[in-house]
Amino acid sequence: MIIRIASHEFKAYFKSPMAWTILAVLQLILGYLFLTQIETFTLMQDKLANIEGAPDLTDIIVIPLFSNAGIILLLVTPLLTMRLICEERRNKTLSLLLSAPISDTQIILGKYLGTLSLLGIIILLISLMPLSLMTVVEFDKGKLLANVLGLSLLCSAFTAVGIFMSTVVGHPTVAAIGTMGILLILWLLNINSTLSDNPNEFLSYFSLLKHFQSIQTGLLDSSDIIYFVLFICSFLILTVNSLSQQRFQK
Amino acid sequence: MSLISPINQQVGLKNKLISLVLISGLCVIAWLGNIYVFQLDITRKSSNTLSLSSQNLVNKLTHPIFITAYIEKGQSLRVQIRQLIDRYRQINKNFNLTFIDPQLHPELSKELKLGPEGIILVSYEDRIEKLNYIDEKSLSESLGRLANIENITLELSSKKHSDGSLELSETAIATLNLIYLIVLPLTFVSSGIIIWRKRKSS
């Protein structure tokens, strides 16, 4: 049943121009940034070759591309998630969905996986950019894999917050703005580590950016993976709980 | 009068309790996950892992090592230095890192003749060494000198180097521009327009 809901959600995105527009705009922005990074590297490579320990092709092209994608997806994901539950409620179809013989967990997981599938396509398109250079130059595949994993976990976390806000808030626009607000706060918690002489370790732990950057280096740390898994689980539990509350208030 | 029946109230309370227990469990896992850490370096040349010679050297340091970085606030270099020292700290807990913003201490800046790129002081026992640039090689060599460990051979020079030159012909650059800036975005936009028109007509 989860797969059916996910497939329905996924198809629904492509039945409206929204997903296509997002794909087009993302492709244009990230394609431009990718080509700019290539140009930067080709201009710098002669100088870099003579410096010991200088950043390599993967550091100059792949990592900035995925970092930029992370920031752009922080702004885009709320637009994809804002309608998940809100729209059902506004169209009065939520009661129908809740009266169907499916659990709240199945509804939430189905909708969550449907959105993740679309984000999976976006991540695949981003990964194809550096992969298209593979015929010309060899770069660190491990680091590329780490970046793909980091961005996938980051998008999963964004979606979990988005679906939660869509469940608790009555209007899609408010849900999108609320999601963006929460994500920006969680993103910027790490700013403390560069601005302060003695950063607050507790606050830094909650920063999405800190864990994402840590995975991007290619060093897979169990604490970073656990952070993302727990983050996603916490928001999904809260979402299921919130939907259950609404079921009993009907 | 409450419109919510007592049974629904009980179920609601039960759901809240289950969520509370689950989230508490997740907090415990997060805490344990920070204590028992497992790391896997998947980079091609293990560039995030200290070399064997650095590990041997760090294991020989029995006294506290103080690293003071005079780098302005907000610079990404601070994060990189912290990540580097964390790698040393995983092997030897005696590493202590402090950041000082030179702009807040102008007298120190004059005394140490600090430039915009900052400086890093490494101190071991009563000896201090000044580094203009810090990476694994420079830090390990400095620690070797400060601790008077003579016969260390650092096999670091070939550890990280450029992945090779990127020679793209003008045709290749034009093809990439065409694919990423024109063909793919236009395909997505036209698909969106077709879907929108179909919906409008139906």
Side-chain angles (χ1 to χ4, degrees):
Chain A
M1 190 50 86
I2 294 172
I3 304 291
R4 264 180 129 172
I5 299 172
S7 149
H8 176 266
E9 279 302 321
F10 181 69
K11 282 177 190 163
Y13 278 121
F14 288 97
K15 280 178 189 164
S16 76
M18 193 183 167
W20 295 107
T21 316
I22 287 175
L23 281 174
V25 172
L26 276 178
Q27 189 60 48
L28 194 68
I29 296 172
L30 292 170
Y32 173 74
L33 292 171
F34 171 64
L35 292 166
T36 314
Q37 289 306 124
I38 290 180
E39 201 183 337
T40 311
F41 183 77
T42 44
L43 289 173
M44 286 166 64
Q45 59 182 338
D46 291 338
K47 284 179 190 169
L48 291 173
N50 301 322
I51 304 168
E52 202 176 313
D56 54 27
L57 182 128
T58 322
D59 294 329
I60 292 174
I61 295 179
V62 177
I63 294 179
L65 176 71
F66 279 81
S67 300
N68 291 327
I71 297 167
I72 294 168
L73 286 172
L74 184 146
L75 304 171
V76 167
T77 313
L79 301 176
L80 295 172
T81 55
M82 65 181 185
R83 293 162 68 188
L84 287 175
I85 304 290
C86 263
E87 200 75 349
E88 301 272 7
R89 199 183 294 123
R90 283 166 67 83
N91 293 340
K92 312 283 180 200
T93 49
L94 186 63
S95 309
L96 266 176
L97 193 65
L98 292 175
S99 58
I102 41 174
S103 68
D104 297 336
T105 314
Q106 283 175 320
I107 296 171
I108 296 300
L109 281 181
K111 285 183 174 285
Y112 178 71
L113 292 177
T115 311
L116 272 193
S117 311
L118 173 60
L119 286 165
I121 289 180
I122 294 172
I123 294 169
L124 184 73
L125 284 169
I126 297 167
S127 310
L128 282 177
M129 292 183 197
L131 284 174
S132 63
L133 291 178
M134 264 190 155
T135 47
V136 195
V137 73
E138 197 182 318
F139 53 86
D140 197 333
K141 292 180 197 77
K143 230 176 227 182
L144 175 66
L145 185 72
N147 276 273
V148 173
L149 176 73
L151 193 61
S152 307
L153 288 169
L154 194 69
C155 286
S156 308
F158 290 169
T159 312
V161 178
I163 197 170
F164 170 70
M165 285 306 287
S166 181
T167 312
V168 294
V169 169
H171 199 282
T173 319
V174 181
I177 294 169
T179 309
M180 248 177 239
I182 293 178
L183 292 178
L184 271 174
I185 290 169
L186 287 168
W187 188 266
L188 294 173
L189 277 176
N190 194 43
I191 213 159
N192 166 274
S193 67
T194 49
L195 290 178
S196 168
D197 290 336
N198 297 304
N200 187 328
E201 290 291 326
F202 182 74
L203 270 183
S204 292
Y205 178 76
F206 289 98
S207 165
L208 285 164
L209 180 63
K210 180 193 170 235
H211 296 282
F212 176 53
Q213 281 179 337
S214 171
I215 295 175
Q216 275 192 302
T217 59
L219 184 68
L220 299 185
D221 194 307
S222 60
S223 65
D224 295 321
I225 311 282
I226 288 173
Y227 166 82
F228 277 112
V229 172
L230 296 183
F231 185 97
I232 295 160
C233 288
S234 304
F235 274 97
L236 288 181
I237 290 169
L238 290 172
T239 311
V240 172
N241 184 42
S242 170
L243 193 67
S244 303
Q245 292 293 320
Q246 289 173 32
R247 181 191 286 270
F248 290 112
Q249 281 167 10
K250 295 284 164 198
Chain B
M1 194 183 87
S2 173
L3 292 173
I4 305 165
S5 71
I7 296 172
N8 286 352
Q9 274 183 339
Q10 277 181 10
V11 176
L13 190 71
K14 190 184 156 195
N15 275 337
K16 275 184 185 167
L17 276 172
I18 291 171
S19 299
L20 194 72
V21 170
L22 281 173
I23 298 219
S24 309
L26 295 179
C27 290
V28 173
I29 297 170
W31 177 64
L32 288 173
N34 273 319
I35 295 173
Y36 303 103
V37 178
F38 171 74
Q39 287 184 329
L40 178 68
D41 191 353
I42 59 168
T43 53
R44 193 175 48 189
K45 290 193 171 77
S46 299
S47 51
N48 291 305
T49 313
L50 288 186
S51 68
L52 206 61
S53 47
S54 283
Q55 288 183 29
N56 290 337
L57 165 76
V58 171
N59 277 327
K60 287 177 188 165
L61 304 174
T62 49
H63 297 281
I65 304 109
F66 295 96
I67 295 154
T68 314
Y70 293 86
I71 292 161
E72 285 176 24
K73 281 180 185 176
Q75 286 202 17
S76 58
L77 190 60
R78 282 193 175 204
V79 179
Q80 289 166 18
I81 293 175
R82 189 171 288 121
Q83 283 174 348
L84 177 72
I85 303 304
D86 280 346
R87 274 181 240 155
Y88 281 86
R89 211 177 264 155
Q90 276 167 9
I91 299 166
N92 189 333
K93 299 280 177 205
N94 284 333
F95 276 81
N96 299 287
L97 173 67
T98 316
F99 284 105
I100 292 176
D101 187 349
Q103 283 190 333
L104 299 177
H105 305 274
E107 70 290 347
L108 260 173
S109 308
K110 272 185 189 173
E111 196 182 316
L112 293 166
K113 294 175 186 166
L114 290 181
E117 69 285 346
I119 214 165
I120 297 109
L121 296 185
V122 184
S123 119
Y124 184 71
E125 292 188 291
D126 54 349
R127 290 180 289 277
I128 296 178
E129 196 164 298
K130 214 190 305 186
L131 296 177
N132 293 315
Y133 172 75
I134 191 168
D135 63 355
E136 188 195 332
K137 189 170 188 279
S138 61
L139 181 60
S140 292
E141 281 177 350
S142 168
L143 288 170
R145 285 190 295 272
L146 290 169
N148 287 328
I149 301 171
E150 295 288 334
N151 48 357
I152 57 154
T153 45
L154 292 169
E155 301 135 5
L156 297 164
S157 52
S158 63
K159 198 172 175 187
K160 190 184 173 191
H161 61 84
S162 183
D163 288 322
S165 60
L166 181 62
E167 303 280 337
L168 288 176
S169 64
E170 280 188 15
T171 325
I173 292 173
T175 314
L176 286 174
N177 272 297
L178 187 75
I179 293 171
Y180 294 125
L181 301 182
I182 298 168
V183 176
L184 281 172
L186 271 183
T187 311
F188 294 138
V189 169
S190 47
S191 306
I193 293 170
I194 292 166
I195 300 281
W196 179 66
R197 280 196 172 169
K198 263 187 186 173
R199 279 185 70 180
K200 216 178 166 188
S201 59
S202 63

